[in-house]
Short mmCIF file of all heavy atoms in Angstrom, two decimals:
data_model
loop_
_atom_site.label_atom_id
_atom_site.label_comp_id
_atom_site.label_asym_id
_atom_site.label_seq_id
_atom_site.Cartn_x
_atom_site.Cartn_y
_atom_site.Cartn_z
N LEU A 352 -14.78 -86.49 -0.52
CA LEU A 352 -13.44 -85.92 -0.41
C LEU A 352 -12.39 -87.01 -0.26
O LEU A 352 -11.31 -86.94 -0.88
CB LEU A 352 -13.38 -84.96 0.78
CG LEU A 352 -14.03 -83.59 0.59
CD1 LEU A 352 -14.07 -82.84 1.91
CD2 LEU A 352 -13.30 -82.78 -0.47
N ALA A 353 -12.68 -88.01 0.57
CA ALA A 353 -11.72 -89.10 0.76
C ALA A 353 -11.49 -89.87 -0.53
O ALA A 353 -10.34 -90.19 -0.88
CB ALA A 353 -12.24 -90.05 1.86
N GLY A 354 -12.56 -90.15 -1.28
CA GLY A 354 -12.42 -90.86 -2.54
C GLY A 354 -11.61 -90.07 -3.56
O GLY A 354 -10.76 -90.62 -4.27
N LEU A 355 -11.87 -88.77 -3.63
CA LEU A 355 -11.14 -87.91 -4.56
C LEU A 355 -9.67 -87.82 -4.18
O LEU A 355 -8.78 -87.81 -5.04
CB LEU A 355 -11.77 -86.52 -4.58
CG LEU A 355 -11.21 -85.51 -5.61
CD1 LEU A 355 -11.29 -86.09 -7.02
CD2 LEU A 355 -11.95 -84.19 -5.51
N LEU A 356 -9.40 -87.78 -2.86
CA LEU A 356 -8.01 -87.72 -2.40
C LEU A 356 -7.25 -88.99 -2.77
O LEU A 356 -6.08 -88.94 -3.17
CB LEU A 356 -7.98 -87.51 -0.88
CG LEU A 356 -6.60 -87.36 -0.25
CD1 LEU A 356 -5.86 -86.15 -0.82
CD2 LEU A 356 -6.71 -87.22 1.27
N VAL A 357 -7.91 -90.14 -2.65
CA VAL A 357 -7.27 -91.41 -3.03
C VAL A 357 -6.97 -91.41 -4.53
O VAL A 357 -5.88 -91.80 -4.97
CB VAL A 357 -8.17 -92.60 -2.66
CG1 VAL A 357 -7.63 -93.89 -3.28
CG2 VAL A 357 -8.27 -92.75 -1.15
N LEU A 358 -7.93 -90.96 -5.33
CA LEU A 358 -7.74 -90.90 -6.78
C LEU A 358 -6.60 -89.94 -7.13
O LEU A 358 -5.75 -90.24 -7.99
CB LEU A 358 -9.04 -90.44 -7.44
CG LEU A 358 -9.15 -90.62 -8.96
CD1 LEU A 358 -8.99 -92.08 -9.35
CD2 LEU A 358 -10.49 -90.07 -9.44
N PHE A 359 -6.56 -88.81 -6.46
CA PHE A 359 -5.49 -87.82 -6.66
C PHE A 359 -4.13 -88.42 -6.29
O PHE A 359 -3.13 -88.19 -6.98
CB PHE A 359 -5.80 -86.59 -5.80
CG PHE A 359 -4.80 -85.47 -5.92
CD1 PHE A 359 -4.55 -84.85 -7.13
CD2 PHE A 359 -4.12 -85.03 -4.79
CE1 PHE A 359 -3.65 -83.81 -7.23
CE2 PHE A 359 -3.22 -83.98 -4.87
CZ PHE A 359 -2.98 -83.36 -6.09
N SER A 360 -4.10 -89.19 -5.22
CA SER A 360 -2.85 -89.81 -4.77
C SER A 360 -2.33 -90.81 -5.80
O SER A 360 -1.12 -90.87 -6.06
CB SER A 360 -3.06 -90.51 -3.42
OG SER A 360 -3.53 -89.61 -2.45
N VAL A 361 -3.24 -91.60 -6.36
CA VAL A 361 -2.84 -92.57 -7.40
C VAL A 361 -2.33 -91.84 -8.63
O VAL A 361 -1.29 -92.18 -9.21
CB VAL A 361 -4.01 -93.49 -7.76
CG1 VAL A 361 -3.65 -94.37 -8.96
CG2 VAL A 361 -4.40 -94.36 -6.57
N GLU A 362 -3.05 -90.79 -9.03
CA GLU A 362 -2.67 -90.04 -10.24
C GLU A 362 -1.31 -89.38 -10.10
O GLU A 362 -0.48 -89.45 -11.00
CB GLU A 362 -3.75 -88.98 -10.51
CG GLU A 362 -3.45 -88.04 -11.66
CD GLU A 362 -2.73 -86.77 -11.23
OE1 GLU A 362 -2.99 -86.30 -10.11
OE2 GLU A 362 -1.91 -86.28 -12.02
N ASN A 363 -1.03 -88.75 -8.93
CA ASN A 363 0.25 -88.03 -8.85
C ASN A 363 1.41 -88.93 -8.46
O ASN A 363 2.55 -88.47 -8.36
CB ASN A 363 0.15 -86.80 -7.93
CG ASN A 363 -0.22 -87.14 -6.50
OD1 ASN A 363 0.11 -88.20 -5.98
ND2 ASN A 363 -0.90 -86.22 -5.83
N MET A 364 1.15 -90.23 -8.27
CA MET A 364 2.25 -91.18 -8.11
C MET A 364 2.76 -91.68 -9.46
O MET A 364 3.85 -92.26 -9.57
CB MET A 364 1.77 -92.41 -7.32
CG MET A 364 1.95 -92.31 -5.82
SD MET A 364 3.67 -92.29 -5.33
CE MET A 364 4.13 -93.97 -5.72
N TYR A 365 2.01 -91.44 -10.51
CA TYR A 365 2.31 -92.03 -11.81
C TYR A 365 3.66 -91.57 -12.37
O TYR A 365 4.28 -92.26 -13.17
CB TYR A 365 1.22 -91.70 -12.81
CG TYR A 365 1.26 -92.56 -14.06
CD1 TYR A 365 0.74 -93.84 -14.04
CD2 TYR A 365 1.82 -92.08 -15.25
CE1 TYR A 365 0.77 -94.64 -15.16
CE2 TYR A 365 1.85 -92.88 -16.38
CZ TYR A 365 1.33 -94.15 -16.33
OH TYR A 365 1.37 -94.95 -17.45
N LYS A 366 4.13 -90.41 -11.97
CA LYS A 366 5.39 -89.90 -12.49
C LYS A 366 6.54 -90.85 -12.18
O LYS A 366 7.52 -90.91 -12.93
CB LYS A 366 5.71 -88.52 -11.92
CG LYS A 366 6.10 -88.52 -10.46
CD LYS A 366 6.74 -87.20 -10.09
CE LYS A 366 7.40 -87.34 -8.72
NZ LYS A 366 8.39 -86.32 -8.49
N TYR A 367 6.43 -91.60 -11.08
CA TYR A 367 7.49 -92.55 -10.76
C TYR A 367 7.55 -93.69 -11.77
O TYR A 367 8.62 -94.17 -12.12
CB TYR A 367 7.31 -93.11 -9.35
CG TYR A 367 7.58 -92.09 -8.30
CD1 TYR A 367 6.55 -91.50 -7.59
CD2 TYR A 367 8.88 -91.70 -8.01
CE1 TYR A 367 6.80 -90.54 -6.62
CE2 TYR A 367 9.15 -90.75 -7.06
CZ TYR A 367 8.11 -90.17 -6.36
OH TYR A 367 8.37 -89.22 -5.42
N VAL A 368 6.37 -94.08 -12.27
CA VAL A 368 6.34 -95.09 -13.31
C VAL A 368 7.00 -94.55 -14.57
O VAL A 368 7.82 -95.21 -15.21
CB VAL A 368 4.89 -95.51 -13.61
CG1 VAL A 368 4.85 -96.57 -14.71
CG2 VAL A 368 4.22 -96.05 -12.35
N LEU A 369 6.65 -93.32 -14.94
CA LEU A 369 7.22 -92.72 -16.14
C LEU A 369 8.72 -92.53 -15.99
O LEU A 369 9.49 -92.79 -16.91
CB LEU A 369 6.54 -91.36 -16.40
CG LEU A 369 5.04 -91.40 -16.72
CD1 LEU A 369 4.52 -89.99 -16.96
CD2 LEU A 369 4.78 -92.26 -17.93
N PHE A 370 9.14 -92.07 -14.84
CA PHE A 370 10.57 -91.85 -14.62
C PHE A 370 11.33 -93.17 -14.70
O PHE A 370 12.40 -93.26 -15.28
CB PHE A 370 10.81 -91.19 -13.27
CG PHE A 370 12.26 -90.90 -13.00
CD1 PHE A 370 12.83 -89.71 -13.44
CD2 PHE A 370 13.07 -91.80 -12.33
CE1 PHE A 370 14.17 -89.45 -13.21
CE2 PHE A 370 14.40 -91.55 -12.08
CZ PHE A 370 14.94 -90.36 -12.53
N ALA A 371 10.76 -94.19 -14.10
CA ALA A 371 11.43 -95.49 -14.11
C ALA A 371 11.59 -96.00 -15.54
O ALA A 371 12.62 -96.59 -15.89
CB ALA A 371 10.63 -96.51 -13.28
N GLU A 372 10.58 -95.75 -16.38
CA GLU A 372 10.66 -96.22 -17.76
C GLU A 372 11.68 -95.42 -18.56
O GLU A 372 12.50 -95.97 -19.29
CB GLU A 372 9.29 -96.14 -18.41
CG GLU A 372 8.29 -97.14 -17.84
CD GLU A 372 6.90 -96.96 -18.41
OE1 GLU A 372 6.65 -95.89 -19.01
OE2 GLU A 372 6.06 -97.86 -18.25
N THR A 373 11.67 -94.09 -18.42
CA THR A 373 12.57 -93.26 -19.21
C THR A 373 14.01 -93.36 -18.72
O THR A 373 14.94 -93.17 -19.50
CB THR A 373 12.12 -91.78 -19.17
OG1 THR A 373 12.07 -91.34 -17.81
CG2 THR A 373 10.76 -91.61 -19.80
#
Side-chain angles (χ1 to χ4, degrees):
L352 284 172
L355 186 56
L356 183 61
V357 170
L358 193 59
F359 181 60
S360 302
V361 172
E362 175 268 328
N363 60 32
M364 270 293 291
Y365 195 80
K366 71 165 193 161
Y367 289 105
V368 180
L369 296 180
F370 182 87
E372 291 175 344
T373 57

